[in-house]
Amino acid sequence: MTDRSAVRRNRRHHYVQVESTTARDTRLSYRALGVLTYCLDQSDSWNVRSEQLARGEGREGRDAVRRALHELAAHGYYRLERRRFLDGTTGMGAAVSEYPVEQWAQDYVTFGKKLDIPVVEQEDGSFRVRYADGSLGPDGFAPGPAAPAAAPNDGAAADPELQPKPKKKPRATPPAAARAAAKKESGEPTNGATDTQVQPGEEREAAKGKTPAEEVATWYYDHATQHLGPYAGKKKSGWYFALVKLSKQALDAQYTQKQVAKAFQRTGVHFPTAHQFQRALSDERNNRTMPAQYGGRPAPYSDAATWGVTDMATPPPQSTPEDHDDDAEFGIVPA
C-alpha cells in the first residue's frame, strides 16, 4: 500500500454503485445508508472521520454520524482497522464494503462493539484479524478475480498462517565487506583512511583502491591529527569524507595533489570551510608565503605591495569649506 491510511474497499465492480440488496437492507436506517453511499463515493486516499462527515450544510452532527457508523459496522458494511505492517510500523485506516460482510459483523461483536479492529499484514499483501488470544482469522475481504475463493472452515489448506512460508534469499555481502574480508585473509591493513599516507610532491604509485582525492584527504587526515590535535567533532568519518569532497572539487578544477595538500595545511583547521579552503588554494597557486606556524615567515608589510605605487610628488587635493559640511557639531541650544 502506498498510502497506509487509505481506505481498503471491498468491491465487486470497477465503479461506484450500491447493490440492490444493500439499498433494500431494512436493517439500515436511511441515515446509515446515506453515510455508506457517501463513503463509497470517495477516493482511496480519503480518510473516514466522523468529524469530517459531520461538517457542512445539511449534516446532522458528529454524534449522529458516529451512531450511523456503528450501525454500519454492526451489519458488516464498515469498520476501522488498526493495521500492523510487515516492517513493524502501524497505521489506522477504514474499510468499507458495498455489500454486508458477515465476518465484519461478527468481529464487531467479538471486539466489544468497537469500530477499530486490529489486522496484520501478510507476506502476500493481504491482512488477517488478530484476536485477543493471539490467533489470526480472515479479514472478510473477497479474493481477487484471479484467486479462487477459499472454502470456509477447510482447515490448514485455507489458512495461510498454517502454510509453510517461502524461505528468504540470503542477503548478498556488500562489496565493501567483501573487500575487507579479502584484505584480512591476505594480511593487508584494513584500518580504513589511515592505512596509507600520501606525501605531497613525491612520485609514487597510487594506493590500491583509493582515488586521488582520497589519497590527499587521507594524508591531511593523518597530518591534522598529528599536528593539530585530536578531532573534537561528533563523527570522524564525516570529517574525512568532507575532506574527500573538497579534494575532488579542487582536483576537478585542475589543481594538483600537492597544491590541494598544501592548501589544507594552510587553513590550519581540521575541517576547513569551502571559503577557507578556496582562499588557501588561491594563496598556494600564487606562491604566497606560508604562515609562520607552518615553518614559513609572514611577508613584511609594504605600502607599495598593498596599495600600489603612488606619485608622492603630487600634492594631496585641497579641501573646501563645502567638504566639511558633514563635520558640523550638533548640540542643545540654550534658551
Side-chain angles (χ1 to χ4, degrees):
M1 299 178 68
T2 56
D3 185 354
R4 296 192 167 187
S5 62
V7 174
R8 290 205 303 149
R9 184 176 288 109
N10 221 0
R11 175 178 286 176
R12 292 176 179 170
H13 305 278
H14 296 291
Y15 53 90
V16 175
Q17 74 173 20
V18 178
E19 294 188 357
S20 178
T21 53
T22 299
R24 296 175 180 273
D25 192 342
T26 57
R27 300 174 301 170
L28 297 180
S29 65
Y30 288 132
R31 172 193 294 165
L33 184 60
V35 171
L36 175 62
T37 305
Y38 183 80
C39 291
L40 291 173
D41 193 45
Q42 305 304 315
S43 63
D44 290 345
S45 60
W46 185 73
N47 295 326
V48 180
R49 296 290 184 269
S50 58
E51 293 84 355
Q52 183 177 0
L53 289 170
R55 295 194 192 106
E57 185 178 355
R59 301 298 184 246
E60 297 180 278
R62 185 179 62 180
D63 293 339
V65 170
R66 285 181 175 176
R67 285 193 296 270
L69 292 177
H70 276 277
E71 184 179 343
L72 292 173
H75 299 297
Y77 289 95
Y78 168 81
R79 73 181 181 190
L80 280 173
E81 294 179 333
R82 288 186 280 112
R83 300 167 185 167
R84 176 169 291 278
F85 301 93
L86 291 174
D87 58 4
T89 60
T90 59
M92 181 73 79
V96 182
S97 179
E98 296 175 354
Y99 53 90
V101 181
E102 186 61 29
Q103 184 65 49
W104 291 11
Q106 294 175 7
D107 290 339
Y108 177 75
V109 176
T110 300
F111 285 94
K113 297 184 178 181
K114 294 182 179 180
L115 291 179
D116 56 311
I117 305 296
V119 296
V120 182
E121 186 181 17
Q122 305 301 300
E123 294 286 347
D124 61 357
S126 64
F127 287 83
R128 291 179 67 80
V129 176
R130 181 182 294 278
Y131 294 99
D133 60 357
S135 62
L136 299 177
D139 68 346
F141 271 81
N153 301 323
D154 57 351
D159 192 346
E161 286 296 313
L162 301 179
Q163 297 295 329
K165 295 183 179 180
K167 294 183 178 180
K168 295 183 178 180
K169 295 182 179 179
R171 181 183 176 185
T173 304
R179 289 196 299 268
K183 284 186 177 182
K184 186 175 182 180
E185 292 180 359
S186 62
E188 296 182 18
T190 59
N191 57 345
T194 59
D195 59 354
T196 304
Q197 290 190 358
V198 178
Q199 298 298 332
E202 293 184 1
E203 295 294 334
R204 57 167 187 77
E205 294 184 359
K208 185 178 180 180
K210 286 187 179 294
T211 64
E214 292 172 340
E215 294 172 3
V216 179
T218 300
W219 175 84
Y220 187 66
Y221 186 95
D222 293 338
H223 175 85
T225 302
Q226 295 173 11
H227 297 278
L228 302 179
Y231 183 61
K234 292 183 179 180
K235 293 183 179 180
K236 290 187 177 181
S237 60
W239 166 33
Y240 171 74
F241 289 119
L243 295 176
V244 172
K245 182 178 179 180
L246 290 176
S247 300
K248 185 178 185 306
Q249 291 173 345
L251 293 173
D252 290 344
Q254 306 305 314
Y255 288 93
T256 65
Q257 283 185 298
K258 180 177 180 179
Q259 289 173 328
V260 175
K262 287 291 186 180
F264 277 131
Q265 190 179 6
R266 280 178 177 273
T267 62
V269 295
H270 289 81
F271 173 35
T273 65
H275 175 75
Q276 291 172 324
F277 182 58
Q278 181 59 55
R279 182 172 181 177
L281 275 175
S282 301
D283 289 347
E284 181 61 32
R285 172 166 284 186
N286 294 325
N287 295 318
R288 296 285 181 86
T289 305
M290 181 74 75
Q293 61 264 40
Y294 300 116
R297 295 181 179 180
Y301 177 79
S302 169
D303 283 336
T306 304
W307 307 106
V309 179
T310 58
D311 186 2
M312 300 303 296
T314 304
Q318 298 295 324
S319 61
T320 64
E322 290 77 2
D323 296 331
H324 299 283
D325 288 344
D326 293 337
D327 297 334
E329 297 182 0
F330 296 87
I332 299 176
V333 179

